Amino acid sequence: MTGTVQPHPFHPRDLVGGHPVIDLLNTVTARNAEPVDWLDAYPRLLEWAALTGHFDPADLTALRRLAETGPARAERALARVRELREALHDLITALAHGAPAPAGAVARVEEHWKQAAAHARLTVHGAAPLLRTTVEASGLDLLRHELALRALDLLRALPADRTRVCPGPRCGWLFLDTSRAGRRRWCSMATCGNAAKGRTHYERRRAGEGHGEP
């Protein structure tokens, strides 16, 4: 990603992707204009992870302590999360547009997944075998490892025909369209959708005024 890094306090409205991996991709905003990376530091990544509700709070507390005692290591771990994020963005965006999977992105995602799997343990709950990561095994890379493992699960079942890229100005977020009709266009009606309505209304008024309508 070429752009700027800017602090951003995360809010529930920032989680519109329909999957934590998609929401990770959306920690960069304005991808279709001048991209802004909201993950300005490792504690911000933990803030985002806590908001998603998909990660063990005890693990996040342990990661925060590790980051406080090793800020340089935390910064390097964040850089690796960004690498995974951008590779996944390139791959999933291509699939959403019906384009061939970029070989470079596939290779980078594969490498991150291999690293995650090497630090994970196989567990079986009921009939479902799962790869589990731990703070003890992964350290500050826990979130990256967990997201890499979940990314493969997502890619296996990705509904490419329901994976959308928001066309809103200064947006470009991805989301899974789970609507019944499959016609969702905007990442959120509360933001890009309403902004588009406002622009359309303004343009219609201007057009009416230009034709001498009251």
Side-chain angles (χ1 to χ4, degrees), residues 112-153:
H112 283 283
W113 184 87
K114 285 180 176 178
Q115 292 174 15
H119 288 80
R121 295 186 63 183
L122 181 65
T123 62
V124 179
H125 292 277
L130 297 171
L131 287 175
R132 295 285 189 184
T133 55
T134 65
V135 175
E136 291 74 20
S138 295
L140 289 164
D141 281 317
L142 174 71
L143 293 179
R144 177 173 65 96
H145 290 167
E146 185 66 26
L147 287 161
L149 295 174
R150 296 187 190 198
L152 188 61
D153 292 337

Side-chain angles (χ1 to χ4, degrees), residues 32-156:
N32 56 1
E34 298 175 355
V36 178
D37 187 347
W38 284 343
L39 295 180
D40 61 313
Y42 194 88
R44 191 77 63 191
L45 173 64
L46 297 178
E47 176 189 324
W48 169 83
L51 184 64
T52 69
H54 286 279
F55 302 94
D56 188 334
D59 287 345
L60 298 181
T61 297
L63 291 175
R64 187 174 300 278
R65 290 172 181 158
L66 287 176
E68 289 171 352
T69 58
R73 292 193 300 274
E75 191 61 29
R76 291 192 293 270
L78 176 61
R80 291 188 288 271
V81 170
R82 290 190 181 119
E83 291 171 3
L84 172 63
R85 179 188 64 191
E86 297 310 301
L88 285 168
H89 180 269
D90 291 349
L91 174 54
I92 293 175
T93 300
L95 297 176
H97 288 149
V106 172
R108 293 195 302 274
V109 171
E110 178 185 11
E111 183 60 29
H112 283 283
W113 184 87
K114 285 180 176 178
Q115 292 174 15
H119 288 80
R121 295 186 63 183
L122 181 65
T123 62
V124 179
H125 292 277
L130 297 171
L131 287 175
R132 295 285 189 184
T133 55
T134 65
V135 175
E136 291 74 20
S138 295
L140 289 164
D141 281 317
L142 174 71
L143 293 179
R144 177 173 65 96
H145 290 167
E146 185 66 26
L147 287 161
L149 295 174
R150 296 187 190 198
L152 188 61
D153 292 337
L154 171 66
L155 290 167
R156 284 194 185 111

Side-chain angles (χ1 to χ4, degrees), residues 12-19 22-23 26 96 159-168 171-194 196:
R13 64 175 177 267
D14 299 321
L15 305 178
V16 300
H19 190 282
I22 303 293
D23 286 326
N26 295 341
D161 60 336
R162 287 291 190 110
T163 305
R164 309 274 190 255
V165 180
C166 182
C171 186
W173 277 3
L174 285 99
F175 60 90
L176 301 180
D177 181 1
T178 57
S179 66
R180 180 176 298 180
R183 297 177 181 173
R184 179 178 163 192
R185 183 182 182 191
W186 309 104
C187 63
S188 171
M189 280 304 301
T191 53
C192 289
N194 283 341

